[in-house]
Amino acid sequence: MLHFLTRRRPAPRAKARLSRRGFLLSSALASVAVASLGHGTAWAGPALGPDAAATLLRMTQDIYPHPTLVEPEHYQAIADALMTEAETDAEVKTLLADGLTALDAQATALHGSAFAAVADADAREALLRAVQHGAFFQKIRWATYFGIYDNKALWARFNYEGSSWEEGGYADRGFSDITWVPQGPSEADRLAAVQ
C-alpha cells in the first residue's frame, strides 16, 4: 500500500513541438545552406586539370618574368593559390577554365601545341597580348603581381628594404646607397652655396 502511495506517475513526455520561432530559424538556416550550394562556394569540386595548371603556371612566369630573382616555386605558389580559389568559387573556376581553354586552343591553332609547350617566348607573349585586356588575363595578372611584389620573402631580391616610415624614413635607409650615380656636393658645399 505504501508502495502505491509513493509511486509517482511518470512525468509527461515533453512534446516535440516546433515553435514558430524555431520553425522560422530552421527555415532561414536551410535557405542559407541551399543558397550556398547554388553558388557552388563549397561544392565546386576539382577545379582545373593538369593541362590547365601547366598553362596557368607558364602564364604567371610570362606575365612577370624574373628568371634570376623569382624561383619556380614562387610562381607555383601563385598558380596553386589561383587553383585553390577556383575550387571554392564557381565564378573564378569558370573564368579560369574558359580562359585557359581558349588560350590553349589559340596556341594550338597557331603553333601546334598548348600554350605551355610553345617554346618561343615571343610567340607566347603575342598570345598573351591578344587577351591582355580581358577579365581572364587581368585576374591572373593581379594575382601574380601581388604574389611577387607583395611577398616579403622576395623583397630583398629586388633590393627593396620594405616600409621605412617606422625606421624614420628612406633618407637614412638606403636613399643614397646607389653607387652608379656620381657623388654630389657635400652638405657643407650645399650650405655654402645658398649663403
Side-chain angles (χ1 to χ4, degrees), residues 56-131:
L56 182 59
L57 176 61
R58 184 75 253 173
M59 280 187 70
T60 62
Q61 294 169 326
D62 286 347
I63 293 173
Y64 290 103
H66 296 292
T68 60
L69 297 175
V70 179
E71 302 293 332
E73 58 263 20
H74 293 112
Y75 288 111
Q76 185 65 56
I78 295 165
D80 290 347
L82 283 165
M83 298 285 274
T84 300
E85 186 179 355
E87 289 176 2
T88 57
D89 188 324
E91 191 173 320
V92 172
K93 179 181 176 180
T94 301
L95 179 70
L96 294 182
D98 292 350
L100 293 168
T101 299
L103 185 62
D104 277 340
Q106 185 68 14
T108 301
L110 294 176
H111 305 288
S113 62
F115 178 80
V118 173
D120 184 8
D122 291 337
R124 290 195 313 270
E125 181 180 340
L127 288 164
L128 292 177
R129 286 188 181 278
V131 298

Side-chain angles (χ1 to χ4, degrees), residues 139-169:
K139 173 71 178 170
I140 296 172
R141 172 194 175 197
W142 287 113
T144 307
Y145 175 89
F146 285 108
I148 293 173
Y149 304 117
D150 201 33
N151 185 343
K152 290 182 180 179
L154 296 176
W155 286 354
R157 297 178 185 208
F158 292 98
N159 291 326
Y160 176 58
E161 297 174 348
S163 177
S164 287
W165 71 268
E166 305 92 344
E167 308 293 331

